[in-house]
Amino acid sequence: MPIRFLAAALLAVVSAAPTLRAQATPAQTPAPEISIREPRDGATVPRTFTVVFGLKNWGVAPASVNFPRTGHFHILINTDAGAPGTLIPADSLHRHFGTGAIETTLTLAPGTYTLRAVLGDHEHKVISRELVSAPIRITVR
Ligand SMILES: [Cu+2]
């Protein structure tokens, strides 16, 4: 009996789907989301640790590739990204992953740090604020 109820409920959802689709704007594209999946905010990590990037509704490409809605990751250490269109510096606080890497290892001296992931375009420029992650705070022991 519960299965029959579930089937009826599913049928109702499927029937409603064309109506829902008709209300969506066809040209609407989902907003990109960027994050640092690992380490977690507030984590304590060893001097050398893995960083895993997260990205939704956007693509990853090597720095040399100019393709719409793609970019490569950067880690910003104890600093925020500039405005969209700003060149991301290449120094100890701005690490570039121009090969298209989606995870990496970092080695930092013991202390407390704020990390942000930023997707940059093929010219290493900030694309948009949506492609600057929320900061995470970590302690390196
Ligand atoms: Cu770059």
Side-chain angles (χ1 to χ4, degrees):
M1 182 184 69
I3 291 174
R4 190 176 299 151
F5 175 76
L6 191 64
L10 278 175
L11 192 61
V13 169
V14 170
S15 307
T19 310
L20 294 174
R21 231 179 276 127
Q23 290 170 349
T25 310
Q28 199 172 37
T29 49
E33 291 177 42
I34 187 170
S35 61
I36 296 176
R37 297 176 60 196
E38 205 180 296
R40 295 290 180 191
D41 187 27
T44 298
V45 297
R47 290 191 62 169
T48 298
F49 60 96
T50 300
V51 177
V52 180
F53 301 112
L55 185 65
K56 288 181 183 172
N57 304 324
W58 207 270
V60 176
S64 56
V65 174
N66 180 6
F67 192 80
R69 293 179 70 84
T70 67
H72 63 281
F73 286 106
H74 303 78
I75 295 177
L76 272 53
I77 303 169
N78 294 343
T79 187
D80 199 356
T86 306
L87 185 68
I88 301 167
D91 58 31
S92 63
L93 301 180
H94 302 81
R95 311 283 178 91
H96 292 243
F97 301 94
T99 61
I102 57 171
E103 71 172 70
T104 188
T105 57
L106 271 188
T107 300
L108 295 172
T112 302
Y113 298 87
T114 298
L115 304 181
R116 283 180 175 82
V118 178
L119 209 75
D121 68 11
H122 67 287
E123 295 180 311
H124 310 276
K125 291 178 178 169
V126 176
I127 298 169
S128 74
R129 278 312 292 187
E130 290 173 316
L131 288 165
V132 177
S133 80
I136 67 158
R137 200 162 169 81
I138 61 161
T139 300
V140 177
R141 63 172 179 262

